[in-house]
Amino acid sequence: MMMTSRVMQAARCPTDELSLTNCVVVSEKDGFQSGQHVIVKTMPNHKYVFTVRTHQAVVPGTIAFSLPQRKWAGLSINQDVEVSPYNFEKSKQYVGTMTIEIDFLQKKTADSNPYDSDKMAAEFIQHFNSQAFSVAQQLVFSYCDKIFALQVKEIEAMDPSILRGEQGSSKKQKIEIGLMHGNSQVIFEKAENSSITLVGKAKSRGARQSIINPDWNFERMGIGGLDKEFSDIFRRAFASRVFPPDIVEQMGCKHVKGILLFGPPGCGKTLMARQIGKMLNAREPKVVNGPEILNKYVGESEANIRKLFADAEEEQKRLGANSGLHIIIFDEIDAICKQRGSMAGSTGVHDTVVNQLLSKIDGVEQLNNILVIGMTNRPDLIDEALLRPGRLEVKMEIGLPDENGRVQILNIHTAKMRQSNMLSGDVDVKELAIETKNYSGAELEGLVRAAQSTAMNRHIKASAHVEVDTEKAQRLQISRSDFFASLNNDIKPAFGTNQEDYSSYIMNGIVKWSNAVSEILGDGELLVQQTKNSDRTPLVSVLLEGPPHSGKTALAAKIAEESQFPFIKICSPDKMIGHSEIAKCQAIKKIFEDAYKSQLSCVVVDDIERLLDFVPIGPRFSNLVLQALLVLLKKAPPQGRKLLILGTTSRKDVLQEMGMLDTFSTTIHIPNISRGEHLMEALELLGGFQEKERAVIAKEVKGKGVWLGIKKLQMLIEMALQMHPEYRVNKFLALLREEGALGSDKHVTI
């Protein structure tokens, strides 16, 4: 590379084609390299910066200028000029925005056709990437087979904060000389007295700067709760595209070509993918629904894939590294990218579609100007070859929003009501966010809609005709009570607490007939706190074991309810009646997989021996279900998630033989009522019998052994209470004896 200045003679540009490059042309023998920048001094105070191109037609010792360049620099042929290398101070001299005046080069070629300044700007940047530009510079530009005369009016430096992916400052710095690169913004303005017709955004000052729009705002885009995910995607997928291309090239860095967004339905995957296109200063993304690709004719599905990539391929061949970014979004990508060979008896269409997609993203003729975004809530179905680095390498879980995320989402969906003064002052978005644990973004939107419907319903007169009270409707306000009515009745989270499930187990409350019951609840509270607070034990599992009817399920449901975890599910045998072994395994697995999606989860595995189909005779139990439970009870939840498992069983001995007892962190014994005073305590707490009646019962049970579960006791009391008051006590004692719960010897206590 030439390091010192030297005197050279000005010459004419050898070809018209070279005149359109905006470069000065020199001989390779003079030690220049294409792409380097030089400063040309014509007089002591007149200096001009150009980008160099080498060509064999140029005589050594001369430097060739096009007519617009000679006109701008006031050069004549054979004039001596001093040429020396010029180095850009890149952090300060990158072109952020450049305003250019445009007109037809020759008036006779003028026409009235509209020219899209956005497309023109993209073409301009791709043609003149990495070139030097100065204010007042004149050049020619070929577009749509027409030659245009351009003059640089103003150059603003790129804000360095944009290179770091931050929001740009509003203060703009004007510069005299700048280096054009792929993330620059070009604004075309019509020259005075010109007849050219310009359309598009880039003819005005309101245009975006850089590949990232510095004014992007999640709330304005309608996205909430995904700040961290967006910043992670930005870091992995766009940092290399925002950075100056020459630095990226020096690092040998390749752009990320694919992102996979996965997670529960309604959490914003599709919304996020669509907004990525708006956030980037790129052409409108192509959005494809997975099933649309498939076609019944042989080869058509693969042709559909090829069509999606055709524009990107054509542009890469034409413009190489200067090609713009093409975004292709596949919604429900699992429909077309299933594991190859998994579709037994199929025609193999899925397999060839996967092959075609793999070869397009990262095949032999790989494209570097594409970004493929795939979305699915079943990442397990996708062919693993598609998920390796170089293809869909950025895998991002779009999970359920946390409390701050829910505040953002609710603010977005209530923004219009707030602006129109239709949201009552008693609506506290933070309170709603606390109450809506495990709600997805879609469910929160549904909650706002339901609250609006509840409020509107108040202003509808239900007479012979359905009429709206227009006078009151003008003063419509959506209040806190509307939201809470919708919260309790209309919208329930898919991955939330099914209160109907566990409330039925504790409808009669917990009877604390002895200190043992309080201690069990205290131990349960400790386990809940351990699950919440301990980083070392993200999985805590406890087995509540005891005789039948001792209230194990009720105690497990009570511990689960008092934990206030956002996800509580009961895995109960009554939900799986008639299920085959495989269907039962899948149902249990789904409960656990849903639990992993929440930050804090509690799963009650009720009546384990029933889930296992255990009987003491014949085929003893289901080994498939046993193996599934053994795996799931020991499987730790994903990073950052916590899980509490509460199991219940009446056959501890059976679980011991099956090797299941060791899978639980700890075991809590639930006792039966075994002493007369405990029985009397339970009778008093349960009510039903009067004090005189309880005295008779106390006399009868005194000194006798008792063996009875609290659940069975409740049943016996209710049966006895159906009798005439005179016979109730005798009936109750008779029922106790029939059950064998009342011993005759005072020493018989178990």
Side-chain angles (χ1 to χ4, degrees):
M1 185 174 172
M2 184 187 73
M3 298 305 294
T4 55
S5 63
R6 57 185 293 184
V7 176
M8 301 180 80
Q9 273 193 344
R12 279 193 181 85
C13 198
T15 66
D16 287 345
E17 196 182 334
L18 286 168
S19 293
L20 293 170
T21 63
N22 190 42
C23 293
V24 291
V25 192
V26 293
S27 170
E28 213 168 41
K29 293 173 184 173
D30 285 327
F32 289 97
Q33 289 178 351
S34 284
Q36 79 176 82
H37 311 293
V38 293
I39 188 161
V40 176
K41 197 186 283 186
T42 57
M43 282 188 230
N45 299 326
H46 291 181
K47 298 173 185 176
Y48 304 91
V49 177
F50 294 101
T51 305
V52 169
R53 183 173 283 206
T54 57
H55 197 271
Q56 69 269 18
V58 179
V59 178
T62 64
I63 179 165
F65 297 90
S66 66
L67 181 61
Q69 287 169 338
R70 295 202 304 275
K71 200 171 162 186
W72 170 49
L75 286 164
S76 53
I77 303 299
N78 299 327
Q79 180 180 335
D80 286 345
V81 292
E82 190 184 320
V83 182
S84 52
Y86 181 83
N87 294 315
F88 278 95
E89 196 178 338
K90 291 179 178 176
S91 63
K92 294 179 182 173
Q93 285 189 286
Y94 274 122
V95 174
T97 308
M98 187 160 78
T99 309
I100 298 174
E101 215 170 60
I102 184 167
D103 195 4
F104 294 105
L105 182 66
Q106 295 174 318
K107 298 293 178 192
K108 62 183 180 187
T109 63
D111 59 33
S112 57
N113 294 336
Y115 288 92
D116 189 328
S117 56
D118 291 325
K119 289 179 182 171
M120 199 184 276
E123 194 96 358
F124 181 92
I125 291 164
Q126 287 161 354
H127 269 88
F128 301 119
N129 199 1
S130 301
Q131 283 197 28
F133 283 89
S134 306
V135 174
Q137 181 175 343
Q138 294 174 23
L139 65 151
V140 286
F141 172 49
S142 172
Y143 178 74
C144 291
D145 299 327
K146 284 269 193 306
I147 308 289
F148 295 94
L150 310 180
Q151 184 170 12
V152 179
K153 297 292 285 179
E154 189 181 272
I155 303 173
E156 284 175 2
M158 170 164 276
D159 186 343
S161 62
I162 290 172
L163 300 179
R164 297 191 293 270
E166 300 164 5
Q167 292 213 355
S169 66
S170 55
K171 197 177 175 184
K172 306 292 181 190
Q173 187 186 352
K174 292 183 181 176
I175 50 175
E176 289 300 309
I177 301 167
L179 182 66
M180 173 70 64
H181 64 97
N183 299 325
S184 300
Q185 173 66 37
V186 172
I187 296 169
F188 283 109
E189 287 182 353
K190 195 165 90 164
E192 208 176 327
N193 303 324
S194 173
S195 60
I196 189 169
T197 309
L198 292 179
V199 293
K201 286 191 214 123
K203 67 180 191 298
S204 69
R205 275 265 163 221
R208 292 174 178 175
Q209 179 185 18
S210 153
I211 190 171
I212 301 291
N213 174 7
D215 301 323
W216 52 280
N217 176 303
F218 294 135
E219 293 204 7
R220 214 166 30 246
M221 286 178 171
I223 299 175
L226 296 175
D227 301 31
K228 183 186 177 294
E229 287 81 354
F230 249 117
S231 62
D232 284 355
I233 286 175
F234 181 88
R235 176 176 59 82
R236 292 291 311 280
F238 304 125
S240 62
R241 296 181 190 277
V242 172
F243 233 72
D246 54 335
I247 296 175
V248 172
E249 206 172 304
Q250 285 167 26
M251 286 194 288
C253 172
K254 284 187 177 176
H255 299 312
V256 164
K257 295 180 197 162
I259 302 172
L260 180 71
L261 304 177
F262 66 93
C267 286
K269 297 185 294 294
T270 308
L271 178 64
M272 191 174 195
R274 287 178 187 279
Q275 298 301 350
I276 283 171
K278 290 182 185 175
M279 173 179 141
L280 295 180
N281 187 12
R283 53 182 58 71
E284 196 67 25
K286 292 180 181 175
V287 182
V288 191
N289 290 322
E292 287 176 5
I293 292 289
L294 301 174
N295 194 297
K296 64 180 178 180
Y297 296 111
V298 175
E300 277 297 309
S301 302
E302 296 88 315
N304 287 342
I305 293 279
R306 287 195 292 275
K307 280 176 203 163
L308 289 174
F309 291 87
D311 292 349
E313 275 182 333
E314 183 272 326
E315 194 172 294
Q316 181 151 310
K317 277 178 192 164
R318 186 162 50 88
L319 298 164
N322 293 340
S323 172
L325 179 63
H326 293 250
I327 300 173
I328 301 165
I329 297 171
F330 287 95
D331 203 359
E332 308 301 343
I333 195 169
D334 52 284
I336 54 167
C337 291
K338 286 189 170 68
Q339 293 275 357
R340 284 170 291 181
S342 64
M343 306 284 283
S346 76
T347 55
V349 171
H350 278 92
D351 292 5
T352 51
V353 168
V354 175
N355 293 340
Q356 182 69 74
L357 192 57
L358 294 177
S359 64
K360 282 293 172 200
I361 299 174
D362 191 27
V364 177
E365 292 181 8
Q366 59 181 8
L367 296 166
N368 203 31
N369 60 345
I370 54 161
L371 179 66
V372 176
I373 303 174
M375 290 168 292
T376 180
N377 42 27
R378 293 296 306 275
D380 51 306
L381 296 180
I382 295 172
D383 192 278
E384 59 198 26
L386 195 66
L387 303 178
R388 72 151 173 80
R391 289 173 182 156
L392 300 185
E393 67 178 274
V394 178
K395 292 173 271 296
M396 185 66 59
E397 183 177 5
I398 309 297
L400 297 165
D402 60 11
E403 196 176 304
N404 289 335
R406 295 196 293 276
V407 168
Q408 288 180 17
I409 293 165
L410 287 165
N411 276 330
I412 287 162
H413 293 304
T414 56
K416 277 198 174 176
M417 293 190 286
R418 201 175 286 108
Q419 284 165 15
S420 315
N421 202 25
M422 296 181 89
L423 196 66
S424 175
D426 64 354
V427 176
D428 183 357
V429 170
K430 285 189 178 173
E431 182 192 17
L432 285 172
I434 292 165
E435 292 294 325
T436 50
K437 292 186 183 84
N438 273 30
Y439 275 66
S440 67
E443 285 159 350
L444 289 169
E445 188 183 356
L447 174 68
V448 174
R449 273 202 304 270
Q452 290 165 339
S453 304
T454 309
M456 285 190 276
N457 204 46
R458 288 201 302 271
H459 300 296
I460 294 173
K461 295 177 191 168
S463 53
H465 304 288
V466 175
E467 294 173 38
V468 176
D469 188 337
T470 47
E471 197 178 313
K472 283 186 182 174
Q474 297 296 326
R475 301 191 300 275
L476 175 68
Q477 289 259 304
I478 291 94
S479 68
R480 177 180 181 273
S481 58
D482 296 324
F483 278 99
F484 276 85
S486 305
L487 201 60
N488 296 326
N489 304 321
D490 299 328
I491 309 292
K492 298 287 181 193
F495 299 100
T497 318
N498 196 345
Q499 203 170 349
E500 290 79 16
D501 260 10
Y502 64 75
S503 57
S504 62
Y505 293 111
I506 46 177
M507 61 183 179
N508 296 323
I510 300 294
V511 182
K512 295 181 182 175
W513 50 265
S514 85
N515 289 341
V517 179
S518 301
E519 283 168 15
I520 290 161
L521 291 172
D523 289 347
E525 174 61 25
L526 284 175
L527 291 163
V528 166
Q529 293 307 320
Q530 182 185 342
T531 311
K532 275 185 189 173
N533 304 326
S534 171
D535 292 327
R536 293 185 177 183
T537 53
L539 173 68
V540 176
S541 55
V542 56
L543 179 67
L544 305 179
E545 61 81 20
H549 311 304
S550 56
K552 299 178 295 296
T553 306
L555 285 165
K558 185 69 176 172
I559 293 166
E561 183 190 41
E562 292 197 341
S563 72
Q564 296 285 299
F565 282 5
F567 181 96
I568 299 171
K569 274 281 189 295
I570 294 191
C571 177
S572 174
D574 61 7
K575 301 270 172 61
M576 300 180 196
I577 295 169
H579 278 30
S580 67
E581 282 184 292
I582 292 169
K584 198 180 273 192
C585 288
Q586 285 172 339
I588 296 168
K589 182 170 173 256
K590 185 176 186 309
I591 289 171
F592 277 84
E593 281 179 348
D594 288 353
Y596 299 146
K597 288 169 184 163
S598 176
Q599 302 289 328
L600 277 172
S601 307
C602 177
V603 174
V604 178
V605 185
D606 189 31
D607 216 351
I608 293 173
E609 65 273 20
R610 282 287 67 72
L611 278 173
L612 295 172
D613 299 330
F614 171 78
V615 281
I617 53 170
R620 305 291 296 274
F621 63 92
S622 162
N623 192 40
L624 266 178
V625 179
L626 172 65
Q627 297 306 325
L629 278 173
L630 287 173
V631 171
L632 292 167
L633 289 170
K634 283 199 283 191
K635 186 184 173 189
Q639 185 79 28
R641 311 284 160 87
K642 308 283 189 76
L643 175 61
L644 172 64
I645 301 171
L646 301 168
T648 72
T649 182
S650 304
R651 295 299 303 264
K652 181 184 173 184
D653 56 324
V654 171
L655 299 196
Q656 177 79 58
E657 282 181 42
M658 292 177 179
M660 190 183 271
L661 222 53
D662 297 335
T663 59
F664 287 94
S665 316
T666 184
T667 305
I668 297 175
H669 176 68
I670 313 295
N672 261 354
I673 297 170
S674 58
R675 291 165 61 179
E677 56 264 37
H678 289 160
L679 176 66
M680 296 317 299
E681 182 72 23
L683 283 176
E684 192 175 335
L685 290 168
L686 285 165
F689 289 114
Q690 291 172 2
E691 201 172 328
K692 288 179 190 173
E693 293 171 319
R694 287 205 303 277
V696 175
I697 296 167
K699 195 176 176 184
E700 191 66 33
V701 298
K702 191 177 180 185
K704 292 185 180 175
V706 178
W707 184 248
L708 188 66
I710 187 72
K711 200 171 167 187
K712 178 67 81 175
L713 177 62
Q714 287 177 338
M715 181 60 69
L716 298 183
I717 291 169
E718 289 304 311
M719 285 171 71
L721 290 176
Q722 307 312 309
M723 301 287 290
H724 189 275
E726 284 180 44
Y727 309 113
R728 290 196 312 197
V729 172
N730 289 336
K731 180 65 179 172
F732 176 69
L733 292 168
L735 288 168
L736 279 179
R737 291 191 188 98
E738 280 170 27
E739 287 293 329
L742 195 61
S744 55
D745 191 332
K746 65 180 177 182
H747 299 297
V748 184
T749 56
I750 303 172

